[in-house]
Amino acid sequence: QVQLVETGGGSVQAGGSLRLSCLVSQYTTGNLCMAWFRQTPEMEKGREAVAIAGPEGDNAVCAESVKGRFTTSQDYANKTVYLQMDNLKPEDTAMYYCAADRIGSDYWCLNCRRPSVAFEFWGRGTQVTVAS
C-alpha cells in the first residue's frame, strides 16, 4: 500500500509563500499519478483539484484561481512531490491533501477533471491558513 505524508502547512500573511511536501512510501511497483487537492468546510462539492504531477516530470495546475501562483514539482529520487504556493491569498485557506493513483493502461494522468474519489491513496492533509 502507498503511504502519503504531507508537511509544510502553516499560517502566513497574505502575499507570503509556503511549500508543501508529500513523501511517498511503501510503493514498489509501477508508476503513480500524484495530485494535490484542497478542501474547506464551504466546499459542498468536495475537494478541489489544485495540481497534478505526472511520472515523467510533467505537471498541470488545475485550479484557475491559483494559476500563476502555485506550481507542483516532483523529486522521485527522494520520493517527494512538492506544491510551491506563492502570493498566497486568504481564499487559499484550506486543508491541502496529497493523493496518488496507480497508472494503468490508457491512463491520462494530467486530467484535471478526474474527481477526487478516483484517487486511491490519500494523505491526512496539512492545514494552510492565510491571514489578510
Side-chain angles (χ1 to χ4, degrees):
Q1 292 293 324
V2 176
Q3 291 191 353
L4 307 175
V5 178
E6 306 98 333
T7 56
S11 298
V12 296
Q13 294 291 320
S17 297
L18 285 173
R19 187 175 78 160
L20 306 184
S21 300
C22 175
L23 178 63
V24 184
S25 63
Q26 298 191 4
Y27 187 69
T28 59
T29 60
N31 289 323
L32 294 174
C33 180
M34 304 297 300
W36 290 97
F37 285 81
R38 65 184 181 183
Q39 186 170 24
T40 67
E42 294 75 24
M43 289 181 178
E44 296 180 352
K45 295 184 178 180
R47 298 175 179 178
E48 177 187 29
V50 178
I52 302 176
E56 305 296 329
D58 46 344
N59 305 311
V61 176
C62 298
E64 288 294 327
S65 63
V66 308
K67 288 183 178 180
R69 300 187 296 119
F70 290 14
T71 57
T72 189
S73 61
Q74 50 272 69
D75 179 359
Y76 286 134
N78 291 308
K79 300 183 179 180
T80 304
V81 178
Y82 302 99
L83 182 68
Q84 177 67 40
M85 305 185 294
D86 297 319
N87 191 21
L88 282 159
K89 302 177 179 181
E91 51 264 41
D92 295 319
T93 295
M95 183 71 80
Y96 284 73
Y97 296 91
C98 179
D101 198 22
R102 285 179 284 195
I103 293 177
S105 59
D106 298 324
Y107 188 102
W108 176 29
C109 178
L110 302 185
N111 177 12
C112 288
R113 294 187 176 183
R114 179 177 290 109
S116 60
V117 295
F119 283 82
E120 185 173 1
F121 305 104
W122 289 85
R124 294 188 175 183
T126 185
Q127 178 68 37
V128 171
T129 302
V130 184
S132 58

